[in-house]
Amino acid sequence: MGMHMNEGGDDLQEAHDINVTPFIDVMLVLLIIFMVAAPLATVDVKVDLPASTAQPTKRPDQPIYLSIKKDHSLYLGNDRVEPDLLGSTLDQQTKGDKEETIFVRGDEDVDYGQLMEVMDLLRTAGYLKIGLVGLETVGKP
């Protein structure tokens, strides 16, 4: 009967590999989050925008869109808003930050007078930074 005495403790080999399973799990969770959140970040109000050849500016992370449809109805994001409630609704959405840029999306058939009325409503509410949104074209419109 032979007995071996193990005096050196455990002789397990060291693993020199990185366990990438947690990294893959995190990446898959982030992919799912972005796939769910991306459609929510767009505006679904259909407006025929006029075209422009101007150089586009950088878009902020969470832009605030004010849309003017053909029938002169106003939409803040996807929600319809009455003109007399525009200032208070914007204050709620911007948390009172009057330096926030409001992006105005006007339908191609909206006349200049209606656009000016909406811009006057924004100015009266204290929002002086206004961006006009249009379609990007290459060359002459």
Side-chain angles (χ1 to χ4, degrees):
M1 192 173 347
M3 187 181 270
H4 297 289
M5 298 294 289
N6 189 3
E7 298 174 14
D10 294 330
D11 288 336
L12 299 175
Q13 291 183 347
E14 291 182 23
H16 297 285
D17 299 334
I18 295 175
N19 187 3
V20 295
T21 305
F23 297 120
I24 294 172
D25 291 343
V26 168
M27 293 305 293
L28 288 174
V29 168
L30 288 174
L31 176 67
I32 291 171
I33 289 171
F34 285 119
M35 287 173 58
V36 170
L40 299 177
T42 60
V43 178
D44 292 334
V45 177
K46 294 289 184 192
V47 175
D48 293 328
L49 294 174
S52 172
T53 58
Q55 183 69 25
T57 58
K58 184 180 179 290
R59 182 178 145 178
D61 294 332
Q62 300 222 327
I64 298 174
Y65 289 108
L66 177 63
S67 302
I68 309 168
K69 292 188 71 164
K70 286 182 193 181
D71 62 355
H72 301 240
S73 58
L74 298 177
Y75 287 84
L76 194 57
N78 291 327
D79 303 322
R80 186 176 177 141
V81 62
E82 294 301 320
D84 54 341
L85 298 176
L86 181 61
S88 61
T89 308
L90 275 172
D91 288 341
Q92 290 174 353
Q93 191 157 0
T94 63
K95 298 176 183 70
D97 183 13
K98 303 287 185 179
E99 294 298 313
E100 187 81 31
T101 301
I102 309 300
F103 291 93
V104 178
R105 301 173 64 237
D107 193 283
E108 192 172 40
D109 294 329
V110 172
D111 60 349
Y112 187 72
Q114 179 63 26
L115 181 63
M116 289 306 297
E117 287 178 23
V118 172
M119 291 177 71
D120 281 342
L121 288 173
L122 291 172
R123 184 179 43 206
T124 303
Y127 294 93
L128 302 177
K129 292 187 175 183
I130 300 171
L132 299 176
V133 179
L135 297 176
E136 297 175 26
T137 61
V138 179
K140 294 184 178 183

